Amino acid sequence: MVNNYDWMKDFTFLDFAREVGKHITVNYMMAKDSVQQRLNGTARDGLSFTEFTYQLLQGYDFLWLYQHKNCKLQLGGNDQWGNITTGTELIRRTLGFENEAFALTCPLITKADGKKFGKTESGNIWLDPKRTTPYKFYQFWLNVSDEDAEKYIKIFTSLDKETIDALIEEHKKDPGMRVLQKRLAQEVTVLVHSQEALDAAIEASNILFGKSTKEGLEKLDEATFLDIFDGVPQEHITRTDLEAGIPIVDFMAVNTQIFPSKGEARKMTQANGVSVNKEKVTLDKVMTPADLIDGKYILVQKGKKNYYLVVVE
């Protein structure tokens, strides 16, 4: 692995223009599809000077690697075809046309919105569990569209064709079961993380969509816990108040705004409709630091689907 800064840091603009720029004509650069798309307005933004000349920078990288590392093949996504072939052209024009260099590209894998998987894209997933928890990684694949699931399961898994075809047919019979997405999510999560990580991700998923316990919540690391309840309304209270002990009705209607009134909080609690950390509570419940998850969170569930995350500061 090398860093192109090592050979670019002392390369002045004047030297670059003289030694590299003279070999590639503007006509050649203008003919690139990526440039034409920007100029013809098929892309939303215009074309900056940096973007226009980037093919020269990448082309010079190929030239340097060819000369110093005997690198003769550059691989990339097909959006890089123009930049890579500028490199092969620069090698021939600089060193002589008898010098052979090659380009190999493959189609980009895109997400449902048509955007590529890239570090600059939003809603992206990472292979590093510190950047994307196994739970969030698993959920990403579980929630792809039917069309993408059919495409991704062929690309990202090692399942044989017969198995994939059978899964596709089973999925078509009952799309609501999301057979394709479930198998895709399982296969890729095990491949990238582990079977243990998959099991933990499934267990974490059950916290929102199935039965779980306080022990299940306590087993989660903080990053996964926050991923699960990302977007859930948050309330904040002080640790001092909690240490004094807060009656459950006051906790939900005075210290927080989970309920608009103490009367409503009392009524739903009496009806067995309130859970704290996945455990049903009664009116005699008093909230204390013993109820904290990870030392600073309390999960309140109102009814079947309404969650609130209380953060203790």
Side-chain angles (χ1 to χ4, degrees):
M1 183 177 291
V2 293
N3 186 347
N4 60 358
Y5 180 72
D6 292 337
W7 59 83
M8 294 299 296
K9 66 180 186 293
D10 298 321
F11 207 171
T12 69
F13 179 78
L14 292 178
D15 289 339
F16 186 82
R18 181 173 60 248
E19 297 179 26
V20 178
K22 70 179 182 181
H23 291 293
I24 303 294
T25 66
V26 170
N27 289 349
Y28 177 86
M29 296 171 69
M30 292 281 288
K32 299 294 183 181
D33 287 342
S34 57
V35 174
Q36 288 298 313
Q37 287 174 4
R38 290 296 183 94
L39 294 178
N40 293 334
T42 55
R44 288 182 297 175
D45 304 319
L47 181 69
S48 71
F49 176 78
T50 300
E51 292 172 308
F52 181 60
T53 56
Y54 186 80
Q55 57 179 289
L56 291 180
L57 295 172
Q58 188 168 327
Y60 182 74
D61 286 343
F62 199 176
L63 171 61
W64 192 95
L65 291 168
Y66 183 93
Q67 289 179 297
H68 298 277
K69 300 293 183 180
N70 196 33
C71 177
K72 296 186 178 182
L73 171 66
Q74 187 173 168
L75 301 92
N78 57 11
D79 63 326
Q80 295 298 308
W81 176 257
N83 293 336
I84 296 175
T85 53
T86 296
T88 61
E89 190 69 13
L90 183 61
I91 289 168
R92 288 193 286 268
R93 293 189 182 189
T94 301
L95 304 177
F97 282 81
E98 69 278 5
N99 289 273
E100 290 187 316
F102 306 92
L104 176 64
T105 62
C106 60
L108 286 177
I109 300 169
T110 57
K111 295 183 284 189
D113 58 8
K115 294 181 178 179
K116 64 182 181 180
F117 286 85
K119 62 181 180 295
T120 58
E121 300 295 338
S122 60
N124 207 28
I125 54 169
W126 299 78
L127 302 182
D128 186 344
K130 294 179 181 177
R131 304 293 299 272
T132 302
T133 62
Y135 165 79
K136 201 167 187 177
F137 188 85
Y138 173 78
Q139 286 293 323
F140 175 87
W141 302 105
L142 198 62
N143 289 297
V144 299
S145 67
D146 292 349
E147 181 182 356
D148 282 343
E150 187 171 333
K151 178 173 64 174
Y152 293 160
I153 202 165
K154 298 173 183 177
I155 297 171
F156 292 116
T157 76
S158 299
L159 296 173
D160 58 65
K161 183 177 185 300
E162 291 73 19
T163 301
I164 291 175
D165 288 344
L167 285 167
I168 291 172
E169 286 305 311
E170 184 181 355
H171 180 85
K172 288 179 178 178
K173 291 176 182 177
D174 189 358
M177 293 296 294
R178 302 182 72 77
V179 172
L180 267 181
Q181 286 91 338
K182 289 177 181 176
R183 187 62 181 272
L184 170 67
Q186 292 171 5
E187 294 287 331
V188 182
T189 303
V190 170
L191 178 67
V192 172
H193 295 287
S194 67
Q195 180 64 50
E196 292 74 20
L198 171 64
D199 294 340
I202 293 173
E203 186 175 344
S205 300
N206 289 334
I207 289 172
L208 269 184
F209 309 114
K211 293 182 179 180
S212 186
T213 63
K214 183 180 180 181
E215 287 71 26
L217 289 177
E218 291 174 335
K219 286 195 294 184
L220 300 173
D221 60 84
E222 184 177 8
T224 301
F225 181 86
L226 292 176
D227 275 343
I228 294 173
F229 299 105
D230 182 35
V232 167
Q234 290 191 8
E235 297 282 343
H236 297 261
I237 65 172
T238 67
R239 187 172 296 272
T240 302
D241 288 343
L242 191 64
E243 288 173 348
I246 309 172
I248 186 63
V249 171
D250 290 345
F251 178 80
M252 296 188 295
V254 178
N255 295 81
T256 68
Q257 300 301 308
I258 294 173
F259 283 91
S261 70
K262 294 172 70 171
E264 288 190 37
R266 186 177 294 106
K267 182 177 180 181
M268 182 164 276
T269 305
Q270 285 177 322
N272 206 31
V274 175
S275 296
V276 172
N277 298 331
K278 304 300 288 186
E279 295 178 342
K280 295 291 185 182
V281 295
T282 58
L283 289 174
D284 59 0
K285 169 70 176 173
V286 176
M287 303 299 298
T288 69
D291 294 300
L292 291 174
I293 301 293
D294 280 330
K296 57 181 173 181
Y297 304 108
I298 296 173
L299 181 68
V300 179
Q301 186 176 354
K302 183 172 71 174
K304 290 184 177 181
K305 298 181 179 179
N306 297 313
Y307 286 93
Y308 297 83
L309 187 61
V310 180
V311 181
V312 181
E313 300 169 328

